[in-house]
Coordinates of all heavy atoms in Angstrom, one line a residue:
N283 N 35.6 -34.2 0.3 CA 35.0 -34.4 1.6 C 33.7 -33.5 1.8 O 33.7 -32.4 1.3 CB 36.0 -34.0 2.7 CG 35.6 -34.5 4.1 OD1 34.6 -34.0 4.7 ND2 36.3 -35.5 4.6
M285 N 32.6 -32.0 4.2 CA 32.7 -30.8 5.0 C 33.1 -29.6 4.2 O 32.9 -28.4 4.7 CB 33.8 -31.0 6.1 CG 33.4 -32.0 7.2 SD 34.5 -32.2 8.6 CE 35.9 -33.1 7.8
A353 N 41.4 -31.7 15.7 CA 41.6 -30.5 15.0 C 42.7 -30.6 14.0 O 42.7 -30.1 12.8 CB 41.8 -29.3 16.0
L354 N 43.9 -31.2 14.4 CA 45.0 -31.3 13.6 C 44.8 -32.2 12.4 O 45.2 -31.9 11.3 CB 46.2 -31.8 14.4 CG 47.6 -31.7 13.8 CD1 48.0 -30.3 13.4 CD2 48.6 -32.4 14.7
L355 N 44.1 -33.3 12.7 CA 43.8 -34.2 11.6 C 42.8 -33.7 10.6 O 43.1 -33.8 9.4 CB 43.3 -35.5 12.2 CG 43.3 -36.8 11.3 CD1 43.5 -38.0 12.1 CD2 42.0 -36.9 10.5
A356 N 41.8 -33.0 11.1 CA 40.8 -32.4 10.1 C 41.5 -31.3 9.3 O 41.2 -31.2 8.1 CB 39.6 -31.8 10.9
R357 N 42.4 -30.5 9.9 CA 43.1 -29.5 9.2 C 44.0 -30.1 8.1 O 44.0 -29.6 7.0 CB 43.9 -28.6 10.1 CG 44.4 -27.3 9.5 CD 45.3 -26.6 10.4 NE 44.6 -26.3 11.7 CZ 45.3 -25.9 12.8 NH1 46.6 -25.7 12.8 NH2 44.6 -25.7 13.9
S358 N 44.6 -31.2 8.4 CA 45.5 -31.8 7.4 C 44.7 -32.4 6.3 O 45.1 -32.4 5.1 CB 46.3 -33.0 8.1 OG 47.1 -32.4 9.1
L359 N 43.5 -32.9 6.6 CA 42.6 -33.4 5.6 C 42.2 -32.3 4.6 O 42.2 -32.4 3.4 CB 41.3 -34.0 6.2 CG 41.4 -35.4 6.7 CD1 40.1 -35.8 7.4 CD2 41.6 -36.4 5.5
G360 N 41.9 -31.1 5.2 CA 41.5 -29.9 4.4 C 42.6 -29.5 3.5 O 42.4 -29.0 2.4
E361 N 43.9 -29.7 4.0 CA 45.0 -29.3 3.2 C 45.4 -30.4 2.2 O 46.3 -30.2 1.4 CB 46.2 -29.0 4.1 CG 46.0 -27.8 5.0 CD 47.0 -27.7 6.2 OE1 47.7 -28.7 6.4 OE2 47.1 -26.6 6.8
G362 N 44.8 -31.6 2.3 CA 45.1 -32.7 1.4 C 46.4 -33.4 1.7 O 46.9 -34.2 0.9
D363 N 46.9 -33.3 3.0 CA 48.1 -34.0 3.4 C 47.8 -35.3 4.1 O 47.7 -35.4 5.3 CB 48.9 -33.1 4.3 CG 50.3 -33.6 4.6 OD1 50.6 -34.7 4.3 OD2 51.1 -32.8 5.2
Y364 N 47.6 -36.4 3.3 CA 47.1 -37.6 3.8 C 48.2 -38.4 4.5 O 47.9 -39.2 5.4 CB 46.5 -38.5 2.7 CG 45.2 -37.8 2.1 CD1 45.3 -37.1 1.0 CD2 44.0 -37.9 2.8 CE1 44.1 -36.4 0.5 CE2 42.9 -37.2 2.4 CZ 42.9 -36.5 1.2 OH 41.8 -35.9 0.7
V367 N 48.0 -37.1 8.0 CA 46.8 -37.7 8.6 C 47.1 -39.0 9.3 O 46.8 -39.2 10.4 CB 45.7 -37.8 7.6 CG1 44.5 -38.7 8.1 CG2 45.1 -36.5 7.2
A436 N 36.7 -36.6 13.0 CA 37.6 -35.7 12.2 C 37.5 -35.9 10.7 O 37.7 -35.0 10.0 CB 39.1 -35.9 12.6
E501 N 39.8 -42.8 5.1 CA 40.8 -41.7 5.0 C 41.9 -41.8 6.0 O 42.9 -41.0 5.9 CB 40.0 -40.3 5.2 CG 39.1 -40.1 4.0 CD 38.1 -38.9 4.3 OE1 37.3 -39.1 5.2 OE2 38.2 -37.9 3.6
P578 N 35.6 -30.2 13.6 CA 36.2 -30.6 12.3 C 35.7 -29.8 11.1 O 36.4 -29.6 10.2 CB 35.9 -32.0 12.2 CG 34.8 -32.3 13.2 CD 34.9 -31.3 14.3
A581 N 37.6 -26.5 11.3 CA 39.1 -26.8 11.0 C 39.3 -27.1 9.6 O 40.2 -26.6 8.9 CB 39.6 -27.9 11.9
F582 N 38.4 -27.9 9.0 CA 38.5 -28.3 7.6 C 38.4 -27.1 6.7 O 39.3 -27.0 5.8 CB 37.4 -29.4 7.2 CG 37.5 -29.9 5.8 CD1 38.1 -31.1 5.5 CD2 36.9 -29.1 4.8 CE1 38.2 -31.5 4.2 CE2 37.0 -29.6 3.5 CZ 37.6 -30.8 3.2
N583 N 37.4 -26.3 6.9 CA 37.2 -25.2 6.0 C 38.3 -24.1 6.2 O 38.6 -23.3 5.3 CB 35.8 -24.6 6.1 CG 34.8 -25.5 5.5 OD1 34.7 -25.6 4.3 ND2 34.1 -26.3 6.3
Y584 N 38.8 -24.0 7.4 CA 39.9 -23.1 7.7 C 41.2 -23.6 6.9 O 41.8 -22.8 6.2 CB 40.2 -23.1 9.2 CG 41.4 -22.2 9.5 CD1 41.5 -20.9 9.2 CD2 42.5 -22.8 10.2 CE1 42.6 -20.1 9.5 CE2 43.6 -22.0 10.6 CZ 43.7 -20.7 10.2 OH 44.8 -19.9 10.5
G585 N 41.4 -24.9 6.9 CA 42.5 -25.5 6.2 C 42.3 -25.3 4.7 O 43.3 -25.1 3.9
A586 N 41.0 -25.3 4.2 CA 40.7 -25.1 2.8 C 40.6 -23.7 2.4 O 40.2 -23.3 1.3 CB 39.4 -25.9 2.5
K587 N 40.8 -22.7 3.4 CA 40.7 -21.3 3.2 C 39.4 -20.8 2.7 O 39.2 -20.0 1.8 CB 41.8 -20.9 2.2 CG 43.2 -21.0 2.7 CD 44.3 -20.6 1.7 CE 45.7 -20.5 2.4 NZ 46.0 -21.6 3.2

Side-chain angles (χ1 to χ4, degrees):
N283 193 291
M285 289 188 286
L354 189 63
L355 196 148
R357 192 183 307 167
S358 298
L359 278 173
E361 294 168 348
D363 190 346
Y364 296 100
V367 166
E501 291 168 294
F582 181 97
N583 286 286
Y584 176 57
K587 295 180 169 41

